[in-house]
């Protein structure tokens, strides 16, 4: 009864609606969608070319990036800068497909025996200044797998933002860039305004309007209230925060407090051991002065030797996971602390380490990170112990579901860019993390941390930032080095693999061997910068140095 009344009322209501004019009753034509912009293929000399209207990688094994094992082989189609199709081509699907033609395109890369994985995302790296060419870092990073990086704006805020825009427009060969900038950079806020937690929403909103994505929190640990306000404002504006917890401020803000204040990621190793101490603050020796880097880094290793191990690997690890922070270890940049001789005698140094970088690394109190003067075997022992415990914490954090991401902090402390990318993966594996988890940290986890949902996986709908590797990196991470690694072929003959044959960034296919040739050329030209006396190399050179030069 009620149902029929409702129908009657509805009909009556419709009856009093005036009829629409005849012209209005005719359906307007659906708007024609704007055509996709034509793909323009650029040539970058013999270094690379792309993007292509259609690029096909045939017969590649695929490491997806989310932690799963290799699968395939696949034919992969890339249109412009996007992966649009993936077709498995194993014997079973080939039989079902019958005579179906293989994918074709404007360019075809035959990838028999090769592995495709997502490009890696380095969430903390450096460019450094002249006389080191800016391309030196770009080419090394790309040649060893980094297609996106969060780089400190070492050459100034304006330069960093300009380079990021040039890379986004593919005006040059370089990884994608999201400059790491200090809180307040690029705005008109100063002094007390930046120290006021109540001002954080305004400051961060202004930074977001300038196109910034990543805020460096390094010196702000003196005020947990300020840290909390900036972290909250950053999330509300689609930004992330990155925190190097300076030992000068860990009495106020150590790792657990920073994590629970909402910081996105904690860089390096600082603040973790301090979170486990029986007291509220680290006890420093009488001679300690924060500005003395030799003392600073000496004590940064020693603090791990009196951490409460049980508390660190349980309560601290659980708290970090619960508060949702991302770990960004950058273990490679501190590895010299546990073995300086190893760091200064790596096999690629002569060919690929820029002289300006070598000069900055040599012991010199005037340069940041050049503190290995009076660096003793006791210091190396303490840092070796620190690496073990730090590695155990990373392992426990990962095992409990915490997100470990990827960064190198290279171009400092004997870490040569590119090579340190692969070494960082090896040092994460050293913690006990499985190799597929390590690769996941450098791809999918780093993309999620950065807030880039179309990066970090090999799937249709994701951007074409890919690596074509000669060998399976989930079996041997060293296959990612530009010089590959030694292995045996099917006949038992020893061979050396070819590293990453092509890095594809934004659909642009790079010739990695040519990138390395350019790096070698830059490095050899830089040797004119070598000082007449080299305290690191001189003892190992053939022939005694002239009298008075020791």
């Amino acid at each position: 009864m009620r149902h029929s009344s409702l129908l009657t009322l509805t009909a009556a209501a419709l009856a009093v609606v005036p009829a629409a004019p005849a012209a209005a009753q005719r359906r307007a034509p659906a708007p024609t969608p704007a055509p996709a912009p034509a793909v323009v293929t650029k040539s970058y000399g013999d270094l690379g070319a792309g993007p292509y209207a259609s690029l096909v990688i045939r017969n590649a094994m695929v490491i997806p990036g989310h932690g799963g094992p290799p699968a395939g082989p696949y034919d992969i189609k890339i249109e412009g800068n996007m992966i649009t199709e993936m077709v498995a081509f194993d014997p079973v699907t080939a039989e079902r497909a019958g005579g179906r033609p293989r994918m074709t395109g404007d360019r075809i890369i035959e990838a028999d025996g090769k592995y495709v994985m997502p490009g890696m995302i380095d969430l903390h790296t450096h460019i450094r200044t002249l006389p080191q060419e800016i391309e030196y870092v770009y080419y090394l990073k790309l040649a060893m797998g980094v297609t996106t990086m969060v780089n400190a704006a070492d050459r100034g805020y304006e330069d960093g933002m300009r380079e990021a825009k040039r890379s986004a427009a593919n005006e040059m060969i370089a990884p994608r860039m999201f400059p790491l900038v200090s809180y307040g950079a690029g705005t008109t806020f100063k002094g007390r305004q930046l120290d006021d937690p109540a001002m954080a929403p305004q400051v961060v909103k202004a930074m977001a309007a300038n196109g910034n994505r990543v805020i460096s929190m390094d010196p702000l640990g003196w005020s947990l209230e300020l840290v909390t306000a900036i972290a909250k404002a950053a999330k509300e504006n689609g930004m992330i925060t990155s925190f190097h917890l300076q030992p000068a401020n860990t009495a106020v803000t150590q790792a657990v407090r920073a994590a629970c204040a909402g910081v996105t990621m904690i860089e390096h190793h600082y603040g973790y051991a301090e979170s486990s101490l029986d007291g509220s603050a680290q006890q420093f020796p009488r001679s300690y002065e924060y500005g003395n880097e030799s003392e600073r880094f000496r004590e940064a290793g020693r603090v791990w030797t009196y951490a409460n191990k049980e508390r660190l690997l349980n309560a601290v690890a659980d708290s970090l996971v619960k508060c949702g922070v991302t770990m960004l270890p950058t273990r490679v940049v501190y590895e010299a602390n546990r073995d300086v001789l190893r760091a200064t005698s790596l096999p690629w140094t002569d060919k690929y380490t820029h002289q300006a970088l070598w000069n900055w690394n040599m012991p010199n109190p005037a340069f940041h990170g050049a503190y290995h003067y009076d660096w003793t075997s006791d210091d190396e022992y303490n840092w070796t112990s620190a690496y073990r415990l730090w590695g155990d914490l990373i392992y426990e954090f990962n095992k409990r579901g915490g997100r470990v991401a990827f960064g190198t902090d290279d171009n400092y402390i004997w870490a040569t860019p590119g090579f340190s990318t692969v070494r960082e993966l090896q040092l994460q594996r050293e913690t006990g993390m499985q190799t597929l988890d390590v690769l996941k940290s450098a791809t999918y986890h780093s993309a999620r941390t950065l807030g880039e949902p179309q990066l970090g996986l090999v799937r249709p709908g994701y951007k074409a930032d890919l690596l074509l590797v000669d060998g399976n990196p989930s079996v041997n991470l060293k296959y990612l080095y530009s010089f590959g690694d030694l292995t045996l072929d099917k006949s038992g003959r020893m061979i050396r693999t070819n590293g990453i044959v092509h890095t594809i960034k934004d659909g642009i296919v790079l010739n990695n061997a040519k990138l390395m040739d350019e790096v070698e050329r830059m490095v050899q030209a830089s040797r004119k910068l070598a000082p007449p006396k080299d305290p690191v190399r001189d003892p190992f050179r053939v022939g005694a140095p002239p009298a008075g030069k020791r």
Side-chain angles (χ1 to χ4, degrees), residues 275-304:
S275 297
S276 76
L277 297 178
D278 292 330
S280 61
Q282 179 180 351
Q283 296 302 305
F284 297 98
R286 181 180 296 181
S287 62
Y288 186 89
E289 194 271 307
Y290 183 72
N292 181 325
E293 287 206 349
S294 189
E295 282 294 314
R296 185 197 311 174
F297 283 93
R298 180 172 291 116
E299 293 305 312
R302 186 178 294 168
V303 68
W304 289 86

Side-chain angles (χ1 to χ4, degrees), residues 48-234:
Y52 297 88
S54 59
L55 167 67
V56 174
I57 304 172
R58 283 182 176 169
N59 212 38
M61 297 297 292
V62 171
I63 299 173
H66 54 48
Y74 279 91
D75 288 355
I76 304 168
K77 177 169 278 190
I78 296 164
E79 296 177 296
N81 70 342
M82 301 296 293
I83 303 169
T84 57
E85 190 177 359
M86 293 175 62
V87 176
F89 200 80
D90 56 68
V92 175
T93 55
E95 183 180 354
R96 289 174 182 166
R100 184 188 67 190
R102 298 289 292 274
M103 279 186 190
T104 189
D106 297 326
R107 178 173 177 180
I108 297 171
I109 299 174
E110 299 292 351
D112 297 56
K114 306 294 193 298
Y115 287 73
V116 167
M117 62 172 279
M120 291 186 279
I121 301 168
D122 189 330
L123 293 177
H124 186 107
T125 188
H126 289 267
I127 300 295
R128 304 301 294 264
T129 59
L130 292 171
Q132 181 177 287
E133 298 92 336
I134 202 165
E135 294 84 3
Y136 173 75
V137 175
Y138 295 163
Y139 293 178
L140 279 171
K141 285 289 193 183
L142 287 164
M144 277 170 275
V146 171
T147 53
T148 299
M149 62 187 189
V150 172
N151 50 293
D154 296 298
R155 302 183 182 214
Y157 176 84
E158 295 296 336
D159 183 87
M161 298 302 291
R162 183 172 57 251
E163 287 292 291
K165 288 177 182 176
R166 290 185 65 214
S167 177
N170 291 321
E171 295 175 2
M172 58 182 180
I173 293 177
R176 300 174 187 275
M177 282 179 263
F178 297 87
L180 175 68
V181 299
S182 299
Y183 175 61
T187 73
T188 58
F189 298 95
K190 304 290 182 184
R192 295 294 295 273
Q193 292 175 310
L194 295 176
D195 285 349
D196 184 357
M199 293 293 293
Q202 296 178 53
V203 177
V204 172
K205 186 175 182 179
M207 295 181 72
N210 288 339
N212 295 125
R213 174 74 65 84
V214 190
I215 301 174
S216 172
M217 307 269 272
D218 294 4
L220 305 179
W222 63 273
S223 170
L224 189 58
E225 183 184 4
L226 180 59
V227 167
T228 304
I230 296 170
K232 181 175 183 292

Side-chain angles (χ1 to χ4, degrees), residues 200-338:
Q202 296 178 53
V203 177
V204 172
K205 186 175 182 179
M207 295 181 72
N210 288 339
N212 295 125
R213 174 74 65 84
V214 190
I215 301 174
S216 172
M217 307 269 272
D218 294 4
L220 305 179
W222 63 273
S223 170
L224 189 58
E225 183 184 4
L226 180 59
V227 167
T228 304
I230 296 170
K232 181 175 183 292
K235 289 178 182 177
E236 290 171 350
N237 284 276
M239 300 174 73
I240 68 171
T241 48
S242 189
F243 209 162
H244 168 162
L245 291 157
Q246 295 180 347
N249 295 321
T250 50
V252 178
T253 307
Q254 30 79 325
V256 169
R257 290 175 188 152
C260 297
V263 168
T264 308
M265 58 185 179
I266 295 176
E267 305 165 359
H268 318 314
H269 51 84
Y270 306 100
Y272 296 121
E274 292 88 333
S275 297
S276 76
L277 297 178
D278 292 330
S280 61
Q282 179 180 351
Q283 296 302 305
F284 297 98
R286 181 180 296 181
S287 62
Y288 186 89
E289 194 271 307
Y290 183 72
N292 181 325
E293 287 206 349
S294 189
E295 282 294 314
R296 185 197 311 174
F297 283 93
R298 180 172 291 116
E299 293 305 312
R302 186 178 294 168
V303 68
W304 289 86
T305 66
Y306 46 85
N308 184 317
K309 184 175 180 178
E310 176 68 21
R311 184 180 298 143
L312 180 71
L313 300 183
N314 290 284
V316 170
D318 286 337
S319 295
L320 294 170
V321 173
K322 182 179 179 180
C323 291
V325 77
T326 294
M327 269 191 186
L328 191 66
T330 73
R331 283 163 70 80
V332 66
V333 79
Y334 300 101
E335 190 177 17
N337 294 346
R338 66 181 189 180

Side-chain angles (χ1 to χ4, degrees), residues 346-354 358 520 523-524 527 537:
L346 292 165
W348 52 77
T349 296
D350 284 342
K351 193 172 182 179
Y352 295 120
T353 299
H354 199 284
W358 182 271
E520 183 181 1
V523 169
Q524 295 313 308
R527 293 303 179 217
R537 280 194 171 117

Side-chain angles (χ1 to χ4, degrees), residues 348-369:
W348 52 77
T349 296
D350 284 342
K351 193 172 182 179
Y352 295 120
T353 299
H354 199 284
Q355 186 65 48
L357 182 56
W358 182 271
N359 293 349
W360 289 324
N361 285 335
M362 282 194 291
N364 186 340
F367 293 148
H368 173 51

Side-chain angles (χ1 to χ4, degrees), residues 464-504:
D465 280 20
L466 304 170
L467 312 179
L468 183 63
V469 188
D470 184 19
N472 182 358
S474 70
V475 169
N476 184 358
L477 292 166
K478 291 182 287 182
Y479 289 153
L480 295 167
Y481 279 118
S482 63
F483 45 77
D485 197 23
L486 296 173
T487 188
L488 300 179
D489 65 13
K490 292 180 180 179
S491 68
R493 180 174 58 97
M494 187 170 66
I495 59 170
R496 181 174 285 278
T497 61
N498 293 308
I500 305 171
V501 180
H502 294 298
T503 294
I504 302 175

